[in-house]
Amino acid sequence: MAEEKKEKTRAELLKEKLLIKKESGAKKLSAEEIEKADEFCKGYMSFLDKAKTEREAVKAAVEAAKQRGFTEYDCTKTYKAGDRFYVNNRGKALMLCVIGRNGTKNGVRLGIAHIDSPRLDLKPNPLYESNDLAMFKTHYYGGIKKYQWPTVPLALHGVAAMKDGTVRDVYIGDDESEPCFVVSDLLPHLAVEQMSKVMTKAFDGEMLNVLIGSRPFRDDDESESVKLNIMNILYEKYGFTEEDFVSADLAMVPAGKAREVGFDRSMIGAYGHDDKVCAYPAIMAAFDTELPESTIISVLTDREEIGSDGATGMKSTYMADLIADLAEADGEKLRHVMARSTCLSADVNAAFDPTYASAFEANNSCFINNGAVITKYTGSGGKYSTSDATAEYMAKIRKLLDDKNVLWQTGELGKVDGGGGGTIAKFVANLNADVVDLGVPVLSMHAPFEIVSKIDVYETYRALYEFYAAE
Ligand code: MN
Ligand code: MN
């Protein structure tokens, strides 16, 4: 017997009309869309394996951009609608630009992600020997929980610049055939004193020393023969001496490749999702934008993790300088173009973690698999140190995403007074542009192995693409 179709009650009808539907985002997607997300993330995972540092991310993005018809920016050249170029700032920050039909007249559309991630930088004089072990002294970069870094296999990435002008690439420890490096920790048997300390004191910055060798140079009775042996290996492999460390950007990063996480392979675990997980969607969105209404620029910036200071960070003028060039070419003024410009600051947010539920306020948290997260403001305390997107701009963005069926959610960065953090959004807002954060929810943010959902990565790409494509 067929079931009689019940009419909806008034409460049910009102609920449908007035309240936000609370259901898992993944359920809203078709099998086909989830397949597309899985496919997109294959590209992301291989990018991530090539791009652990900002320099490597720039290199990988430039290579891919050239294949997609982007050429290096020439400030003496006039660009027309549909032209595509890139600006490489010191090999550490990159801008991908596609000129729009109306150029800069109605402002530009900016998608900005950062490509630096927390890590252990080598000090300018890093090499030493202690009790017949060779070690590197490091200075951590960005916000890390120091206890997470010992006993994790590390790889050495970066460059050493020689006095003769040549630059040597260093990239060792990721391939299983290569050696890796490690920060040691105390065995539990002897850790009575260490274990009674508060976490911030149990492992201080000067203990992040990396073990890099233990065998002495054979035909030598001198002191520090282990150090000499290591330096000899480095000289043979890279041609540099101890003094060359002074002019090097070398960092210890977690070794190994991005991995699928979960029996269902729904997530990706890797070092450096923050913020390559938004940089890759920003790169792909620029690649896939053919002839936008307004000029679009995907900016991959550096230095975000340490406050955005420096020539390659968002406090630098490099982005505004490019927009000024484009404005002048259109007979416009930079200040007028900026005031009409809009930006998605593509950065990650903290995904709700049921194990640490008390750090979050569930009604205003983002969740794995619920799509790109729009973060109206970050900051700390009473909304200090953040831009706060206007209601009008929020409305514009949510309409765009809804019209294009992009899966999205909102989230604050943890509960009020729980700590806090910031993104580059405020630096763009300070240039008098409309900006809001949009990106991927991350579990274990800033840990050596961070977690994201494949669906969220893909929806972030779709959000950026539709933002660029909008009329
Ligand atoms: Mn970030
Ligand atoms: Mn970060």
Side-chain angles (χ1 to χ4, degrees):
M1 203 170 81
E3 205 184 326
E4 205 181 320
K5 219 176 189 178
K6 260 207 292 182
E7 248 181 59
K8 283 178 181 164
T9 65
R10 194 159 163 258
E12 278 170 336
L13 288 170
L14 270 182
K15 216 171 140 185
E16 241 169 57
K17 185 175 164 187
L18 300 178
L19 302 184
I20 293 176
K21 283 176 206 74
K22 295 261 179 191
E23 62 172 323
S24 161
K27 283 188 193 154
K28 292 183 199 159
L29 298 182
S30 65
E32 205 180 23
E33 274 181 283
I34 292 175
E35 217 169 277
K36 276 189 198 163
D38 291 348
E39 200 54 41
F40 182 82
C41 284
K42 284 183 191 161
Y44 170 53
M45 287 171 78
S46 74
F47 170 76
L48 207 47
D49 291 339
K50 284 184 283 192
K52 289 193 177 180
T53 65
E54 65 277 2
R55 284 179 188 269
E56 290 161 5
V58 167
K59 210 180 243 181
V62 166
E63 236 165 68
K66 282 180 179 165
Q67 286 169 15
R68 302 287 193 118
F70 285 73
T71 54
E72 184 151 28
Y73 177 60
D74 174 355
C75 62
T76 64
K77 211 183 135 185
T78 319
Y79 290 92
K80 58 179 197 311
D83 283 349
R84 306 147 81 77
F85 61 83
Y86 65 87
V87 182
N88 182 342
N89 183 358
R90 295 171 171 82
K92 285 162 67 70
L94 186 73
M95 293 181 283
L96 299 167
C97 181
V98 182
I99 301 292
R101 295 194 309 277
N102 291 315
T104 58
K105 204 176 77 191
N106 303 326
V108 294
R109 308 248 174 96
L110 300 163
I112 310 177
H114 66 91
I115 46 177
D116 60 321
S117 300
R119 63 190 186 224
L120 306 180
D121 282 346
L122 297 200
K123 290 190 182 189
N125 189 15
L127 181 61
Y128 71 104
E129 177 178 333
S130 184
N131 301 91
D132 299 332
L133 295 176
M135 317 274 271
F136 274 150
K137 290 299 291 183
T138 67
H139 195 138
Y140 66 98
Y141 173 97
I144 61 167
K145 290 164 95 175
K146 297 182 195 91
Y147 75 84
Q148 291 177 336
W149 291 73
T151 71
V152 172
L154 299 171
L156 183 63
H157 288 211
V159 296
M162 304 294 120
K163 282 202 283 191
D164 67 5
T166 60
V167 177
R168 312 272 154 85
D169 281 312
V170 179
Y171 188 96
I172 180 168
D174 277 288
D175 195 283
E176 276 164 30
S177 66
E178 293 166 349
C180 65
F181 314 96
V182 72
V183 175
S184 62
D185 195 3
L186 199 55
L187 63 168
H189 318 62
L190 299 181
V192 175
E193 193 192 325
Q194 184 194 41
M195 298 299 273
S196 67
K197 288 180 179 171
V198 294
M199 276 164 108
T200 48
K201 295 272 153 54
F203 220 95
D204 74 51
E206 291 296 349
M207 289 161 79
L208 294 169
N209 305 320
V210 184
L211 183 61
I212 55 164
S214 65
R215 280 191 190 160
F217 191 71
R218 293 293 292 173
D219 359 285
D220 188 90
D221 294 328
E222 299 290 309
S223 62
E224 300 205 307
S225 58
V226 180
K227 173 178 167 175
L228 180 64
N229 191 40
I230 293 297
M231 209 55 245
N232 191 39
I233 293 170
L234 287 171
Y235 184 73
E236 279 172 2
K237 195 167 165 65
Y238 302 106
F240 63 83
T241 65
E242 190 177 10
E243 201 183 284
D244 294 323
F245 280 116
V246 168
S247 52
D249 288 341
L250 291 167
M252 286 288 175
V253 293
K257 293 185 168 162
R259 301 280 307 270
E260 290 175 306
V261 173
F263 286 113
D264 56 6
R265 298 171 183 261
S266 59
M267 297 166 281
I268 305 167
Y271 162 71
H273 280 313
D274 178 8
D275 185 32
K276 264 83 88 183
V277 75
C278 299
Y280 182 75
I283 293 167
M284 295 311 287
F287 286 177
D288 294 344
T289 300
E290 301 265 321
L291 189 60
E293 185 272 324
S294 290
T295 294
I296 66 105
I297 309 174
S298 279
V299 182
L300 312 181
T301 196
D302 181 26
R303 319 283 300 159
E304 193 277 341
E305 293 297 356
I306 45 94
S308 295
D309 288 296
T312 52
M314 279 315 285
K315 283 190 194 165
S316 154
T317 61
Y318 77 91
M319 182 184 79
D321 292 344
L322 172 65
I323 300 171
D325 278 5
L326 301 177
E328 277 167 33
D330 291 342
E332 301 279 337
K333 291 193 171 68
L334 173 66
R335 60 180 184 270
H336 301 148
V337 170
M338 280 320 303
R340 293 176 211 133
S341 291
T342 50
C343 174
L344 291 179
S345 160
D347 207 343
V348 298
N349 196 340
F352 184 88
D353 187 335
T355 304
Y356 300 97
S358 66
F360 299 87
E361 188 265 287
N363 279 336
N364 287 282
S365 294
C366 60
F367 293 79
I368 287 279
N369 274 346
N370 275 10
V373 53
I374 301 178
T375 308
K376 191 171 183 292
Y377 49 84
T378 56
S380 61
K383 292 195 175 182
Y384 281 84
S385 294
T386 180
S387 56
D388 193 340
T390 62
E392 292 85 347
Y393 188 54
M394 287 293 286
K396 198 173 156 177
I397 295 299
R398 91 180 156 106
K399 179 180 187 317
L400 170 76
L401 300 183
D402 282 345
D403 286 352
K404 299 296 175 185
N405 283 315
V406 176
L407 187 66
W408 64 274
Q409 55 185 324
T410 58
E412 276 197 278
L413 182 60
K415 68 178 179 187
V416 176
D417 289 340
T423 65
I424 58 90
K426 62 180 175 182
F427 307 118
V428 180
N430 291 347
L431 296 171
N432 191 24
D434 273 316
V435 57
V436 68
D437 282 300
L438 180 145
V440 177
V442 178
L443 285 171
S444 305
M445 195 196 294
H446 283 206
F449 194 73
E450 304 174 309
I451 309 291
V452 298
S453 128
K454 289 181 179 177
I455 287 173
D456 300 338
V457 180
Y458 182 60
E459 295 299 325
T460 296
Y461 156 77
R462 291 197 57 226
L464 283 158
Y465 174 78
E466 296 298 351
F467 173 69
Y468 288 162
E471 285 301 312

